[in-house]
Coordinates of all heavy atoms in Angstrom, one line a residue:
M21 N 142.6 1.5 -21.1 CA 141.6 1.5 -22.2 C 140.3 0.8 -21.8 O 140.4 -0.4 -21.4 CB 142.3 0.8 -23.4 CG 141.5 0.9 -24.7 SD 142.4 0.2 -26.1 CE 142.2 -1.5 -25.8
A22 N 139.2 1.4 -21.9 CA 138.0 0.9 -21.5 C 137.2 0.3 -22.7 O 137.4 0.7 -23.9 CB 137.1 1.9 -20.9
L23 N 136.4 -0.7 -22.4 CA 135.5 -1.3 -23.4 C 134.1 -0.6 -23.3 O 133.6 -0.3 -22.3 CB 135.4 -2.8 -23.3 CG 136.6 -3.6 -23.8 CD1 136.4 -5.1 -23.4 CD2 136.8 -3.5 -25.3
M24 N 133.5 -0.5 -24.5 CA 132.1 0.0 -24.5 C 131.4 -0.8 -25.6 O 132.0 -1.4 -26.4 CB 132.0 1.5 -24.7 CG 132.6 1.9 -26.1 SD 132.4 3.7 -26.3 CE 132.6 3.8 -28.1
S25 N 130.1 -0.6 -25.7 CA 129.4 -1.3 -26.7 C 129.0 -0.3 -27.8 O 128.6 0.8 -27.5 CB 128.1 -2.0 -26.2 OG 127.4 -1.2 -25.4
C26 N 129.2 -0.7 -29.0 CA 128.9 0.2 -30.2 C 127.4 0.5 -30.2 O 126.5 -0.3 -30.0 CB 129.2 -0.6 -31.5 SG 128.6 0.3 -32.9
P27 N 127.1 1.8 -30.3 CA 125.7 2.2 -30.2 C 124.9 1.8 -31.4 O 123.6 1.7 -31.4 CB 125.7 3.8 -30.2 CG 127.1 4.1 -30.8 CD 128.0 3.0 -30.5
A28 N 125.6 1.4 -32.5 CA 124.9 0.9 -33.7 C 124.6 -0.6 -33.7 O 123.5 -1.0 -34.0 CB 125.7 1.3 -35.0
C29 N 125.7 -1.4 -33.4 CA 125.5 -2.8 -33.5 C 125.7 -3.5 -32.1 O 125.5 -4.7 -32.1 CB 126.6 -3.4 -34.5 SG 128.3 -3.2 -33.9
Q30 N 125.9 -2.8 -31.1 CA 126.0 -3.3 -29.7 C 127.2 -4.2 -29.4 O 127.2 -4.8 -28.4 CB 124.7 -4.0 -29.3 CG 123.4 -3.2 -29.5 CD 123.4 -1.9 -28.8 OE1 123.9 -1.8 -27.6 NE2 122.9 -0.9 -29.4
K31 N 128.1 -4.3 -30.4 CA 129.3 -5.2 -30.1 C 130.3 -4.5 -29.3 O 130.3 -3.2 -29.3 CB 129.9 -5.6 -31.5 CG 129.1 -6.7 -32.2 CD 129.8 -7.2 -33.4 CE 129.0 -8.3 -34.0 NZ 128.8 -8.1 -35.5
R32 N 131.1 -5.2 -28.5 CA 132.1 -4.7 -27.7 C 133.3 -4.1 -28.5 O 133.8 -4.8 -29.3 CB 132.7 -5.7 -26.7 CG 131.6 -6.4 -25.9 CD 130.7 -5.5 -25.2 NE 131.4 -4.7 -24.2 CZ 131.8 -5.1 -23.0 NH1 131.5 -6.3 -22.6 NH2 132.4 -4.3 -22.2
I33 N 133.6 -2.8 -28.2 CA 134.7 -2.1 -29.0 C 135.4 -1.3 -28.0 O 135.0 -1.0 -26.9 CB 134.2 -1.3 -30.1 CG1 133.1 -0.3 -29.6 CG2 133.6 -2.1 -31.3 CD1 132.7 0.8 -30.6
S34 N 136.6 -0.9 -28.4 CA 137.4 0.0 -27.5 C 136.9 1.4 -27.5 O 136.4 1.9 -28.6 CB 138.9 0.0 -28.0 OG 139.5 1.2 -27.6
S35 N 136.9 2.1 -26.4 CA 136.3 3.4 -26.3 C 137.3 4.4 -27.0 O 136.9 5.6 -27.3 CB 136.1 3.8 -24.9 OG 137.3 3.8 -24.2
Q36 N 138.5 4.0 -27.3 CA 139.5 4.8 -28.0 C 139.3 4.9 -29.5 O 139.7 5.8 -30.1 CB 140.9 4.3 -27.7 CG 141.2 4.0 -26.3 CD 141.6 5.1 -25.4 OE1 142.7 5.6 -25.6 NE2 140.7 5.6 -24.6
S37 N 138.6 3.9 -30.1 CA 138.5 3.8 -31.5 C 137.6 4.9 -32.1 O 136.7 5.3 -31.5 CB 138.1 2.4 -32.0 OG 137.0 2.0 -31.1
K38 N 138.0 5.3 -33.3 CA 137.3 6.4 -33.9 C 136.1 5.9 -34.7 O 135.1 6.7 -34.9 CB 138.2 7.1 -34.9 CG 139.4 7.8 -34.3 CD 139.1 9.3 -34.1 CE 140.3 10.0 -33.4 NZ 140.5 9.6 -32.0
S39 N 136.1 4.6 -35.1 CA 135.0 4.0 -35.7 C 134.8 2.6 -35.3 O 135.8 2.0 -34.9 CB 135.1 4.1 -37.2 OG 136.1 3.3 -37.7
C40 N 133.6 2.0 -35.4 CA 133.4 0.7 -35.0 C 134.0 -0.3 -36.0 O 133.7 -0.2 -37.2 CB 131.9 0.4 -34.9 SG 131.5 -1.3 -34.5
P41 N 134.9 -1.3 -35.5 CA 135.5 -2.2 -36.5 C 134.5 -3.2 -37.0 O 134.8 -3.9 -38.0 CB 136.6 -2.9 -35.6 CG 136.1 -2.7 -34.2 CD 135.3 -1.4 -34.1
H42 N 133.3 -3.3 -36.4 CA 132.3 -4.3 -36.8 C 131.4 -3.8 -37.9 O 131.1 -4.4 -38.9 CB 131.5 -4.8 -35.6 CG 132.4 -5.4 -34.5 ND1 133.1 -6.5 -34.6 CD2 132.7 -4.8 -33.3 CE1 133.8 -6.7 -33.5 NE2 133.5 -5.7 -32.7
C43 N 130.9 -2.6 -37.6 CA 129.9 -2.0 -38.5 C 130.3 -0.7 -39.1 O 129.5 -0.1 -39.9 CB 128.5 -1.9 -37.8 SG 128.6 -0.6 -36.6
Q44 N 131.5 -0.3 -38.9 CA 132.1 1.0 -39.4 C 131.4 2.2 -39.0 O 131.5 3.3 -39.7 CB 132.2 0.9 -41.0 CG 133.5 0.3 -41.5 CD 133.6 -1.3 -41.2 OE1 132.6 -1.9 -41.5 NE2 134.6 -1.7 -40.6
A45 N 130.6 2.2 -38.0 CA 129.9 3.4 -37.5 C 130.9 4.4 -37.0 O 131.8 4.0 -36.3 CB 128.8 3.0 -36.5
E46 N 130.7 5.7 -37.3 CA 131.6 6.7 -36.9 C 131.3 7.0 -35.4 O 130.1 7.0 -34.9 CB 131.3 8.0 -37.6 CG 131.8 7.9 -39.1 CD 133.3 7.9 -39.3 OE1 134.0 8.5 -38.5 OE2 133.8 7.1 -40.2
L47 N 132.3 7.1 -34.6 CA 132.2 7.3 -33.2 C 132.7 8.7 -32.8 O 133.8 9.0 -33.2 CB 132.9 6.3 -32.3 CG 132.5 4.8 -32.7 CD1 133.4 3.9 -32.0 CD2 131.1 4.5 -32.3
G48 N 132.0 9.5 -32.1 CA 132.5 10.8 -31.7 C 132.0 11.1 -30.3 O 131.6 10.2 -29.5
E49 N 132.0 12.4 -29.9 CA 131.5 12.7 -28.6 C 130.1 12.4 -28.4 O 129.6 12.1 -27.3 CB 131.7 14.2 -28.4 CG 133.1 14.5 -27.8 CD 133.4 16.0 -27.7 OE1 132.6 16.7 -27.3 OE2 134.5 16.4 -28.1
R50 N 129.3 12.6 -29.4 CA 127.9 12.3 -29.4 C 127.7 10.8 -29.1 O 126.8 10.4 -28.3 CB 127.2 12.6 -30.7 CG 125.7 12.6 -30.7 CD 125.2 13.1 -32.0 NE 123.9 12.5 -32.3 CZ 123.7 11.4 -32.9 NH1 124.7 10.7 -33.4 NH2 122.4 10.9 -33.1
T51 N 128.5 9.9 -29.6 CA 128.5 8.5 -29.4 C 128.7 8.2 -27.9 O 128.0 7.4 -27.3 CB 129.5 7.8 -30.2 OG1 129.4 8.2 -31.6 CG2 129.4 6.3 -30.1
E52 N 129.7 8.9 -27.3 CA 130.0 8.7 -25.9 C 128.7 9.0 -25.1 O 128.5 8.2 -24.1 CB 131.1 9.7 -25.5 CG 132.1 9.0 -24.6 CD 133.4 9.9 -24.5 OE1 134.2 9.7 -25.4 OE2 133.4 10.7 -23.6
T53 N 128.0 10.0 -25.4 CA 126.8 10.3 -24.7 C 125.8 9.2 -24.8 O 125.1 8.8 -23.9 CB 126.2 11.7 -25.2 OG1 127.2 12.6 -25.2 CG2 125.1 12.1 -24.2
L54 N 125.6 8.7 -26.1 CA 124.7 7.6 -26.4 C 125.0 6.4 -25.6 O 124.2 5.7 -25.0 CB 124.7 7.3 -27.9 CG 123.9 8.3 -28.8 CD1 124.1 7.9 -30.2 CD2 122.4 8.2 -28.4
V55 N 126.3 6.1 -25.5 CA 126.8 4.9 -24.8 C 126.5 5.1 -23.3 O 126.0 4.1 -22.6 CB 128.3 4.7 -25.0 CG1 128.9 3.7 -24.0 CG2 128.6 4.3 -26.4
K56 N 126.6 6.3 -22.8 CA 126.3 6.5 -21.3 C 124.8 6.3 -21.1 O 124.4 5.7 -20.1 CB 126.7 8.0 -21.0 CG 128.1 8.0 -20.4 CD 128.5 9.4 -20.0 CE 130.0 9.5 -19.7 NZ 130.6 10.7 -20.1
I57 N 124.0 6.8 -22.0 CA 122.6 6.6 -21.9 C 122.2 5.1 -21.9 O 121.4 4.7 -21.1 CB 121.8 7.4 -23.0 CG1 122.0 8.9 -22.7 CG2 120.3 7.0 -23.0 CD1 121.5 9.8 -23.9
S58 N 122.8 4.4 -22.9 CA 122.5 3.0 -23.0 C 123.0 2.2 -21.8 O 122.4 1.3 -21.3 CB 123.1 2.4 -24.3 OG 124.4 1.9 -24.0
H59 N 124.1 2.7 -21.1 CA 124.6 2.1 -19.9 C 123.5 2.3 -18.8 O 123.2 1.4 -18.0 CB 125.9 2.8 -19.5 CG 126.6 2.1 -18.3 ND1 127.4 1.0 -18.5 CD2 126.5 2.4 -17.0 CE1 127.8 0.7 -17.3 NE2 127.3 1.5 -16.4
I60 N 123.0 3.5 -18.7 CA 121.9 3.8 -17.7 C 120.7 3.0 -17.9 O 120.1 2.4 -17.0 CB 121.6 5.3 -17.7 CG1 122.8 6.1 -17.2 CG2 120.4 5.6 -16.8 CD1 122.8 7.6 -17.4
E61 N 120.3 2.9 -19.2 CA 119.1 2.1 -19.5 C 119.3 0.6 -19.2 O 118.4 0.0 -18.7 CB 118.8 2.2 -21.0 CG 118.1 3.5 -21.4 CD 117.9 3.7 -22.9 OE1 118.5 3.0 -23.7 OE2 117.1 4.7 -23.2
Q62 N 120.5 0.1 -19.4 CA 120.8 -1.3 -19.0 C 120.7 -1.5 -17.5 O 120.2 -2.5 -17.1 CB 122.2 -1.7 -19.6 CG 122.7 -3.0 -19.2 CD 121.9 -4.2 -19.9 OE1 121.0 -3.9 -20.7 NE2 122.2 -5.4 -19.6
S63 N 121.2 -0.5 -16.8 CA 121.1 -0.5 -15.3 C 119.6 -0.6 -14.9 O 119.3 -1.4 -14.0 CB 121.7 0.7 -14.7 OG 123.1 0.8 -15.0
N64 N 118.8 0.2 -15.5 CA 117.4 0.2 -15.2 C 116.7 -1.1 -15.5 O 115.9 -1.6 -14.7 CB 116.7 1.3 -15.9 CG 117.0 2.7 -15.4 OD1 117.5 2.9 -14.3 ND2 116.8 3.7 -16.2
R65 N 117.1 -1.7 -16.6 CA 116.6 -3.0 -17.0 C 116.9 -4.0 -16.0 O 116.1 -4.8 -15.6 CB 117.1 -3.4 -18.4 CG 116.1 -3.3 -19.5 CD 116.6 -4.0 -20.8 NE 117.9 -3.6 -21.2 CZ 118.0 -2.5 -22.0 NH1 117.0 -1.8 -22.4 NH2 119.2 -2.2 -22.4
L66 N 118.2 -4.0 -15.6 CA 118.7 -5.0 -14.6 C 117.9 -4.8 -13.3 O 117.6 -5.8 -12.6 CB 120.2 -4.9 -14.4 CG 121.0 -5.4 -15.6 CD1 122.5 -5.1 -15.4 CD2 120.9 -6.9 -15.7
M67 N 117.7 -3.6 -12.9 CA 117.0 -3.3 -11.6 C 115.6 -3.9 -11.7 O 115.0 -4.4 -10.8 CB 116.9 -1.8 -11.3 CG 118.3 -1.2 -10.9 SD 119.0 -2.1 -9.5 CE 118.0 -1.6 -8.2
N68 N 114.9 -3.7 -12.9 CA 113.6 -4.2 -13.1 C 113.6 -5.7 -13.0 O 112.7 -6.3 -12.4 CB 113.0 -3.8 -14.5 CG 112.6 -2.3 -14.5 OD1 112.4 -1.7 -13.5 ND2 112.5 -1.7 -15.7
H69 N 114.6 -6.4 -13.6 CA 114.7 -7.8 -13.6 C 114.8 -8.3 -12.2 O 114.1 -9.2 -11.8 CB 115.9 -8.3 -14.4 CG 115.7 -8.2 -15.9 ND1 116.6 -8.6 -16.8 CD2 114.6 -7.9 -16.6 CE1 116.1 -8.4 -18.0 NE2 114.9 -8.0 -17.9
S70 N 115.6 -7.7 -11.4 CA 115.8 -8.1 -10.0 C 114.6 -7.9 -9.2 O 114.2 -8.7 -8.3 CB 117.0 -7.4 -9.3 OG 116.7 -6.1 -8.9
F71 N 113.8 -6.8 -9.5 CA 112.5 -6.6 -8.9 C 111.5 -7.7 -9.2 O 110.8 -8.2 -8.3 CB 112.0 -5.2 -9.3 CG 110.7 -4.9 -8.6 CD1 110.7 -4.5 -7.2 CD2 109.5 -4.9 -9.2 CE1 109.5 -4.2 -6.6 CE2 108.3 -4.6 -8.6 CZ 108.3 -4.2 -7.3
I72 N 111.5 -8.1 -10.5 CA 110.5 -9.1 -10.9 C 110.9 -10.5 -10.2 O 110.0 -11.1 -9.7 CB 110.6 -9.3 -12.5 CG1 110.0 -8.1 -13.1 CG2 109.9 -10.6 -12.9 CD1 110.3 -8.0 -14.6
F73 N 112.2 -10.8 -10.2 CA 112.6 -12.1 -9.6 C 112.3 -12.1 -8.1 O 111.9 -13.1 -7.5 CB 114.0 -12.3 -9.8 CG 114.3 -12.8 -11.2 CD1 115.2 -12.2 -12.1 CD2 113.7 -13.9 -11.8 CE1 115.5 -12.6 -13.4 CE2 113.9 -14.4 -13.0 CZ 114.8 -13.7 -13.8
L74 N 112.5 -10.9 -7.4 CA 112.2 -10.8 -6.0 C 110.8 -11.0 -5.7 O 110.4 -11.7 -4.8 CB 112.7 -9.4 -5.5 CG 112.8 -9.2 -4.0 CD1 113.9 -10.2 -3.4 CD2 113.2 -7.8 -3.6
T75 N 109.9 -10.4 -6.6 CA 108.5 -10.6 -6.5 C 108.1 -12.0 -6.6 O 107.3 -12.5 -5.8 CB 107.7 -9.7 -7.5 OG1 108.2 -8.4 -7.5 CG2 106.2 -9.8 -7.3
L76 N 108.7 -12.7 -7.6 CA 108.4 -14.1 -7.8 C 108.8 -15.0 -6.6 O 108.1 -15.8 -6.1 CB 109.3 -14.6 -9.0 CG 108.7 -15.7 -9.9 CD1 107.4 -15.4 -10.5 CD2 109.7 -16.0 -11.0
F77 N 110.0 -14.6 -6.0 CA 110.5 -15.3 -4.8 C 109.5 -15.1 -3.6 O 109.1 -16.1 -3.0 CB 111.9 -14.7 -4.5 CG 112.5 -15.1 -3.2 CD1 113.0 -16.4 -3.1 CD2 112.5 -14.3 -2.1 CE1 113.6 -16.8 -1.9 CE2 113.1 -14.7 -0.9 CZ 113.6 -16.0 -0.8
I78 N 109.1 -13.9 -3.4 CA 108.2 -13.6 -2.3 C 106.8 -14.3 -2.6 O 106.2 -14.9 -1.7 CB 108.0 -12.1 -2.1 CG1 109.3 -11.5 -1.6 CG2 106.8 -11.8 -1.2 CD1 109.4 -10.0 -1.7
A79 N 106.3 -14.3 -3.9 CA 105.1 -14.9 -4.2 C 105.1 -16.4 -3.9 O 104.2 -17.0 -3.4 CB 104.8 -14.7 -5.7
G80 N 106.3 -17.0 -4.2 CA 106.5 -18.4 -3.9 C 106.3 -18.7 -2.4 O 105.7 -19.7 -2.0
V81 N 107.0 -17.9 -1.6 CA 106.9 -18.1 -0.1 C 105.5 -17.9 0.4 O 105.0 -18.7 1.2 CB 107.9 -17.0 0.6 CG1 107.7 -17.1 2.1 CG2 109.3 -17.3 0.2
V82 N 104.8 -16.8 -0.2 CA 103.4 -16.5 0.3 C 102.5 -17.7 -0.1 O 101.7 -18.2 0.8 CB 102.9 -15.2 -0.4 CG1 101.4 -15.1 -0.2 CG2 103.7 -14.0 0.2
V83 N 102.6 -18.2 -1.3 CA 101.8 -19.3 -1.7 C 102.0 -20.6 -0.9 O 101.1 -21.3 -0.5 CB 102.0 -19.6 -3.3 CG1 101.2 -20.9 -3.6 CG2 101.4 -18.5 -4.1
W84 N 103.3 -20.8 -0.7 CA 103.7 -22.0 0.1 C 103.1 -22.0 1.5 O 102.7 -23.0 2.0 CB 105.3 -22.0 0.2 CG 105.9 -23.2 0.9 CD1 106.4 -23.2 2.1 CD2 105.9 -24.5 0.4 NE1 106.8 -24.4 2.4 CE2 106.5 -25.3 1.4 CE3 105.5 -25.1 -0.8 CZ2 106.8 -26.6 1.3 CZ3 105.8 -26.5 -0.9 CH2 106.4 -27.2 0.1
F85 N 103.1 -20.9 2.2 CA 102.6 -20.8 3.5 C 101.2 -20.2 3.7 O 100.8 -19.8 4.8 CB 103.6 -20.0 4.4 CG 104.9 -20.8 4.6 CD1 106.1 -20.3 4.0 CD2 105.0 -21.9 5.4 CE1 107.2 -21.0 4.2 CE2 106.1 -22.6 5.6 CZ 107.3 -22.1 4.9
W86 N 100.5 -20.1 2.5 CA 99.2 -19.5 2.5 C 98.3 -20.3 3.5 O 98.2 -21.5 3.4 CB 98.6 -19.5 1.1 CG 97.4 -18.6 1.0 CD1 96.1 -18.9 0.9 CD2 97.4 -17.1 1.0 NE1 95.3 -17.8 0.8 CE2 96.1 -16.7 0.9 CE3 98.5 -16.2 1.0 CZ2 95.8 -15.4 0.8 CZ3 98.1 -14.9 1.0 CH2 96.8 -14.5 0.9
G87 N 97.6 -19.6 4.4 CA 96.7 -20.3 5.3 C 97.4 -21.0 6.5 O 96.7 -21.7 7.3
G88 N 98.6 -20.6 6.7 CA 99.4 -21.1 7.9 C 99.9 -22.5 7.7 O 100.7 -22.9 8.5
E89 N 99.5 -23.3 6.7 CA 100.1 -24.6 6.5 C 100.8 -24.7 5.2 O 100.4 -24.1 4.2 CB 98.9 -25.6 6.5 CG 98.4 -26.0 7.8 CD 97.2 -26.9 7.7 OE1 97.2 -27.7 6.8 OE2 96.3 -26.8 8.5
P90 N 101.9 -25.5 5.1 CA 102.6 -25.7 3.9 C 101.7 -26.2 2.8 O 100.9 -27.1 3.1 CB 103.7 -26.7 4.2 CG 103.9 -26.5 5.7 CD 102.6 -26.2 6.2
A91 N 101.8 -25.7 1.6 CA 100.9 -26.1 0.5 C 101.2 -27.5 0.1 O 102.3 -28.0 0.4 CB 101.0 -25.1 -0.7
Q92 N 100.2 -28.1 -0.6 CA 100.4 -29.5 -1.1 C 100.1 -29.6 -2.5 O 99.4 -28.8 -3.1 CB 99.6 -30.5 -0.2 CG 100.1 -30.7 1.2 CD 99.3 -31.5 2.0 OE1 98.1 -31.8 1.7 NE2 99.8 -31.9 3.2
G93 N 100.6 -30.7 -3.2 CA 100.2 -31.0 -4.5 C 100.7 -30.0 -5.5 O 101.8 -29.5 -5.5
V94 N 99.8 -29.7 -6.5 CA 100.1 -28.8 -7.6 C 100.5 -27.4 -7.0 O 101.5 -26.8 -7.5 CB 98.9 -28.6 -8.6 CG1 99.3 -27.7 -9.7 CG2 98.6 -30.0 -9.1
T95 N 99.8 -26.9 -6.0 CA 100.1 -25.6 -5.4 C 101.5 -25.6 -4.9 O 102.3 -24.6 -5.1 CB 99.1 -25.3 -4.3 OG1 97.8 -25.6 -4.7 CG2 99.2 -23.8 -3.9
A96 N 101.9 -26.7 -4.2 CA 103.3 -26.7 -3.7 C 104.3 -26.7 -4.8 O 105.3 -26.0 -4.7 CB 103.4 -28.0 -2.9
M97 N 104.0 -27.4 -5.9 CA 104.9 -27.5 -7.0 C 105.1 -26.1 -7.6 O 106.2 -25.6 -7.9 CB 104.4 -28.4 -8.1 CG 104.5 -29.9 -7.8 SD 106.2 -30.4 -7.7 CE 106.7 -30.2 -9.4
L98 N 104.0 -25.4 -7.8 CA 104.0 -24.0 -8.3 C 104.8 -23.1 -7.4 O 105.6 -22.3 -7.8 CB 102.6 -23.5 -8.5 CG 101.8 -23.9 -9.7 CD1 100.4 -23.4 -9.7 CD2 102.5 -23.5 -11.0
A99 N 104.5 -23.2 -6.1 CA 105.2 -22.4 -5.1 C 106.7 -22.6 -5.1 O 107.5 -21.7 -5.1 CB 104.6 -22.7 -3.7
I100 N 107.1 -23.9 -5.1 CA 108.6 -24.2 -5.1 C 109.2 -23.7 -6.4 O 110.3 -23.1 -6.4 CB 108.8 -25.7 -5.0 CG1 108.4 -26.2 -3.6 CG2 110.2 -26.1 -5.3 CD1 108.4 -27.7 -3.4
S101 N 108.6 -23.9 -7.6 CA 109.1 -23.4 -8.8 C 109.3 -21.9 -8.8 O 110.4 -21.4 -9.2 CB 108.2 -23.8 -10.0 OG 107.8 -25.1 -9.9
S102 N 108.3 -21.2 -8.3 CA 108.3 -19.8 -8.3 C 109.4 -19.3 -7.3 O 110.2 -18.4 -7.6 CB 107.0 -19.2 -7.8 OG 107.0 -17.9 -7.5
F103 N 109.5 -20.0 -6.2 CA 110.5 -19.7 -5.2 C 111.9 -19.9 -5.7 O 112.8 -19.0 -5.6 CB 110.2 -20.6 -4.0 CG 111.2 -20.5 -2.8 CD1 111.0 -19.5 -1.8 CD2 112.3 -21.4 -2.7 CE1 111.9 -19.4 -0.8 CE2 113.2 -21.2 -1.6 CZ 113.0 -20.3 -0.7
V104 N 112.2 -21.0 -6.3 CA 113.5 -21.3 -6.8 C 113.9 -20.4 -8.0 O 115.0 -19.9 -8.0 CB 113.6 -22.8 -7.2 CG1 114.9 -23.1 -8.0 CG2 113.5 -23.7 -6.0
L105 N 113.0 -20.3 -8.9 CA 113.2 -19.4 -10.1 C 113.5 -18.0 -9.6 O 114.4 -17.3 -10.1 CB 112.0 -19.4 -11.0 CG 112.2 -18.7 -12.4 CD1 113.1 -19.6 -13.2 CD2 110.9 -18.6 -13.1
G106 N 112.7 -17.5 -8.7 CA 112.9 -16.1 -8.2 C 114.2 -16.0 -7.5 O 114.9 -15.0 -7.7
F107 N 114.6 -17.0 -6.7 CA 115.8 -16.9 -5.9 C 117.0 -16.9 -6.8 O 117.9 -16.1 -6.7 CB 115.9 -18.1 -4.9 CG 117.1 -18.1 -4.0 CD1 117.1 -17.1 -3.0 CD2 118.1 -19.0 -4.2 CE1 118.2 -17.1 -2.2 CE2 119.2 -19.0 -3.3 CZ 119.3 -18.0 -2.3
V108 N 117.1 -17.9 -7.7 CA 118.2 -18.0 -8.7 C 118.3 -16.8 -9.6 O 119.3 -16.2 -9.8 CB 118.1 -19.4 -9.5 CG1 119.1 -19.4 -10.6 CG2 118.2 -20.6 -8.6
G109 N 117.1 -16.4 -10.1 CA 117.1 -15.3 -11.0 C 117.5 -14.0 -10.4 O 118.3 -13.2 -10.9
Y110 N 117.1 -13.8 -9.1 CA 117.5 -12.7 -8.3 C 119.1 -12.6 -8.1 O 119.7 -11.6 -8.4 CB 116.8 -12.6 -7.0 CG 117.1 -11.4 -6.2 CD1 116.6 -10.2 -6.5 CD2 118.0 -11.5 -5.1 CE1 116.9 -9.0 -5.8 CE2 118.3 -10.3 -4.3 CZ 117.7 -9.1 -4.7 OH 118.0 -8.0 -4.0
L111 N 119.6 -13.8 -7.8 CA 121.1 -13.9 -7.6 C 121.8 -13.6 -8.8 O 122.8 -12.8 -8.8 CB 121.5 -15.3 -7.1 CG 121.2 -15.6 -5.6 CD1 121.7 -17.0 -5.3 CD2 121.9 -14.5 -4.7
I112 N 121.4 -14.2 -10.0 CA 122.0 -13.9 -11.3 C 122.0 -12.5 -11.6 O 123.0 -11.9 -12.1 CB 121.4 -14.8 -12.4 CG1 121.7 -16.3 -12.1 CG2 121.9 -14.4 -13.7 CD1 121.0 -17.3 -13.0
T113 N 120.8 -11.8 -11.4 CA 120.6 -10.4 -11.8 C 121.5 -9.6 -10.9 O 122.1 -8.6 -11.4 CB 119.2 -10.0 -11.6 OG1 118.3 -11.0 -12.3 CG2 118.9 -8.7 -12.3
R114 N 121.7 -9.9 -9.6 CA 122.5 -9.1 -8.7 C 124.0 -9.2 -9.2 O 124.7 -8.2 -9.2 CB 122.5 -9.7 -7.3 CG 121.2 -9.5 -6.5 CD 120.7 -8.0 -6.6 NE 121.6 -7.0 -6.0 CZ 121.3 -5.7 -5.9 NH1 120.1 -5.3 -6.2 NH2 122.2 -4.9 -5.4
V115 N 124.4 -10.4 -9.6 CA 125.8 -10.5 -10.2 C 125.9 -9.7 -11.4 O 126.9 -9.0 -11.6 CB 126.1 -12.0 -10.4 CG1 127.4 -12.2 -11.2 CG2 126.2 -12.8 -9.1
R116 N 124.9 -9.7 -12.3 CA 125.0 -8.9 -13.5 C 125.0 -7.5 -13.2 O 125.7 -6.7 -13.9 CB 123.7 -9.3 -14.4 CG 123.8 -10.6 -15.0 CD 122.6 -10.9 -15.9 NE 122.6 -10.0 -17.1 CZ 121.5 -9.7 -17.8 NH1 120.4 -10.2 -17.5 NH2 121.6 -8.9 -18.8
I117 N 124.3 -7.0 -12.2 CA 124.4 -5.6 -11.8 C 125.8 -5.2 -11.4 O 126.3 -4.1 -11.8 CB 123.3 -5.3 -10.7 CG1 121.9 -5.4 -11.3 CG2 123.6 -3.9 -10.1 CD1 120.8 -5.3 -10.3
V118 N 126.4 -6.0 -10.5 CA 127.7 -5.8 -10.0 C 128.7 -5.7 -11.2 O 129.5 -4.8 -11.3 CB 128.2 -6.8 -9.0 CG1 129.7 -6.7 -8.7 CG2 127.3 -6.7 -7.7
L119 N 128.6 -6.7 -12.1 CA 129.5 -6.7 -13.3 C 129.3 -5.5 -14.2 O 130.2 -4.9 -14.7 CB 129.3 -8.0 -14.1 CG 129.7 -9.3 -13.5 CD1 129.4 -10.4 -14.4 CD2 131.2 -9.3 -13.2
H120 N 128.0 -5.1 -14.3 CA 127.6 -3.9 -15.1 C 128.2 -2.6 -14.5 O 128.7 -1.8 -15.2 CB 126.1 -3.8 -15.2 CG 125.6 -2.7 -16.1 ND1 125.8 -2.7 -17.4 CD2 125.0 -1.6 -15.8 CE1 125.3 -1.6 -17.9 NE2 124.8 -0.9 -17.0
K121 N 128.1 -2.5 -13.2 CA 128.6 -1.3 -12.5 C 130.1 -1.2 -12.6 O 130.7 -0.1 -12.7 CB 128.2 -1.3 -11.1 CG 126.8 -0.8 -10.9 CD 126.4 -0.7 -9.4 CE 124.9 -0.2 -9.3 NZ 124.4 -0.6 -8.0
R122 N 130.8 -2.4 -12.6 CA 132.2 -2.4 -12.7 C 132.8 -1.9 -14.0 O 133.9 -1.4 -14.1 CB 132.7 -3.8 -12.4 CG 134.2 -3.8 -11.9 CD 134.6 -5.2 -11.6 NE 133.9 -5.7 -10.4 CZ 133.9 -7.0 -10.0 NH1 134.5 -7.9 -10.8 NH2 133.4 -7.4 -8.9
R123 N 131.9 -2.1 -15.1 CA 132.3 -1.7 -16.4 C 132.3 -0.2 -16.5 O 131.2 0.5 -16.4 CB 131.2 -2.3 -17.4 CG 131.8 -2.5 -18.8 CD 130.7 -3.1 -19.6 NE 130.2 -4.4 -19.1 CZ 129.0 -4.9 -19.4 NH1 128.1 -4.2 -20.0 NH2 128.7 -6.1 -18.9
S124 N 133.5 0.4 -16.7 CA 133.5 1.9 -16.8 C 133.1 2.4 -18.1 O 133.2 1.8 -19.1 CB 135.0 2.3 -16.5 OG 135.8 1.8 -17.4
V125 N 132.5 3.6 -18.1 CA 132.0 4.2 -19.4 C 132.9 5.4 -19.7 O 133.1 6.2 -18.8 CB 130.5 4.6 -19.2 CG1 130.1 5.4 -20.5 CG2 129.6 3.5 -19.0
Ligands
ZN208 ZN1 129.2 -1.3 -34.5

């Protein structure tokens, strides 16, 4: 038995149920298609997030070593923040993508 999210209220429900226990929305074959579409859209969103974080990570590295020397002061703070945020955000997004892919539709 697989779990899916209700197309009306987004809560987790069983794919076997005929209607959503949270919002009483009727579920049918059309719903299954909608759920598949929302699954693909979520994949795209996660890919966009990982791309943004990767850009942030690279930007941090570029700012840090701009001009051949490690940056100092405020620039260094900005570079490190961007670098760390990008790195952590990218890792979290990768994990979310793996978990998302594992979820069967
Ligand atoms: Zn619902």
